Amino acid sequence: MSDADPMQRVNALLDDVLPTPRVRQQLRLAAGLTQQEVADAVGVKRLAVARWELGQTHPRRPHRAVYIHLLKGLAERFPEVAELNAGNTTPASERGSG
């Protein structure tokens, strides 16, 4: 195992953070996307996206990484929406179904 492996694992944990459910929804709406469009892109059912946006469940791997990538891209496009998050995130330790 190389010295870089622990750093890569730590970086993966730091990157594995979701915005609050409200911000997830607001980012999607700012982009003009439907829950179905997000679900199709991530590879889940629309109901899963609805539950993620309500905070009822949290995405699991491998969908979690794809969803986080989408949200980060939307946050870059819509920084004013991402600012609503202001330190309120869902850490990687909060796992859910969906």
Side-chain angles (χ1 to χ4, degrees):
M1 187 180 305
S2 73
D3 291 333
D5 289 341
M7 292 301 283
Q8 289 173 348
R9 290 193 301 268
V10 168
N11 285 339
L13 289 175
L14 293 174
D15 289 340
D16 192 9
V17 177
L18 287 165
T20 62
R22 178 175 174 253
V23 173
R24 296 172 208 173
Q25 178 186 45
Q26 293 302 313
L27 286 169
R28 176 181 60 76
L29 293 172
L33 298 171
T34 66
Q35 288 180 340
Q36 187 62 56
E37 290 169 323
V38 171
D40 291 344
V42 175
V44 296
K45 295 183 184 224
R46 189 206 57 81
L47 184 58
V49 174
R51 288 178 175 163
W52 298 343
E53 290 183 355
L54 291 171
Q56 294 175 344
T57 61
H58 302 286
R60 292 181 286 180
R61 289 189 173 102
H63 301 114
R64 184 178 180 91
V66 175
Y67 188 50
I68 287 173
H69 181 73
L70 170 66
L71 293 174
K72 284 183 179 182
L74 294 177
E76 289 175 9
R77 286 178 55 195
F78 305 100
E80 66 283 358
V81 176
E83 287 177 11
L84 294 173
N85 208 37
N88 298 317
T89 58
T90 302
S93 60
E94 289 190 22
R95 303 285 186 229
S97 60

